[in-house]
Amino acid sequence: MPVALPADEEPIPISAVQHAVYCLRQAALIHLERLWADNRFTAEGDVLHAVADKGGSRKARGVRRVLALPLASKRLNLAGVADLVEFAPGPDGERAFPVEYKRGKPKLHRADEAQLCAQALCLEEMTGRPVPEGALFYAQTKRRVTVPFDPELRALTEAAVAGLAAALASGSTPPPTPHKSRCRACSLLELCRPETVARPVRQWRDRMLSRALEAP
Ligand code: SF4
């Protein structure tokens, strides 16, 4: 089951896919510039993951449940750890079903779903079997939300991985694209200063645009 990753490239953490879908600048600040700041939301997430991080496996009603399972994809150069993967028996062997624990409740954006989908892509490569769906368990609602890995979500996930890989390879952090509600909840708001940084970028872009329009 283990996947050998390219020896010369540091794998992209699966958790970074969530950051990249939320905001590519946030992902680059964390994974390129190694900046991190805790806020209430990240602290709650840490507590939640501490239980799953203990690892272990057990079987109930024919389903094997594995906590803290290491995952990797050579094709996407991804590596990480799944909170929980359930392996249920099927006609053609065991089928994997990843479950990721999240704080809060289901969000309007698809960052959590993309992180789970990245786990599914790793599991498909590792097991050689399709992984059609998984689930997000939200601490606030204490409910599982089933996530089908449809073509749209797979495309979003792979695009996020590609965008992040390009940002990491370029070594430069993308400028902010301020998004009111996301920036408000972002633990890096103080370090990012989206409005202060974005203003000169906008001014430069407007200057360039008006020069292009004035040109004969
Ligand atoms: S403050 Fe906004 S623009 Fe800056 S990293 Fe966070 S979400 Fe992205």
Side-chain angles (χ1 to χ4, degrees), residues 30-102:
I30 295 169
H31 300 281
L32 188 63
E33 300 192 25
R34 309 283 176 197
L35 296 180
W36 181 250
D38 271 321
N39 65 6
R40 180 171 63 84
F41 304 126
T42 60
E44 284 174 7
D46 288 348
V47 171
L48 200 59
H49 283 105
V51 180
D53 287 350
K54 288 196 175 123
S57 132
R58 66 190 157 122
K59 203 163 183 175
R61 289 192 288 273
V63 178
R64 195 160 57 89
R65 305 175 86 235
V66 185
L67 287 163
L69 180 68
L71 301 177
S73 162
K74 189 175 180 180
R75 180 175 70 85
L76 296 170
N77 193 32
L78 284 175
V81 177
D83 284 344
L84 166 67
V85 181
E86 295 177 344
F87 293 92
D92 53 350
E94 281 188 325
R95 178 160 284 193
F97 184 92
V99 182
E100 179 71 12
Y101 298 101
K102 292 288 173 196

Side-chain angles (χ1 to χ4, degrees), residues 22-23 25-26 29 176-179 182-183 186 188-189 192 194:
Y22 188 83
C23 169
R25 177 171 169 82
Q26 187 203 62
L29 288 172
T177 43
H179 182 293
R182 290 193 195 184
C183 293
C186 178
L188 295 180
L189 179 61
C192 169

Side-chain angles (χ1 to χ4, degrees), residues 32 65 89 123 149 158 206:
L32 188 63
R65 305 175 86 235
L123 281 163
F149 302 125
E158 295 214 12
D206 292 347

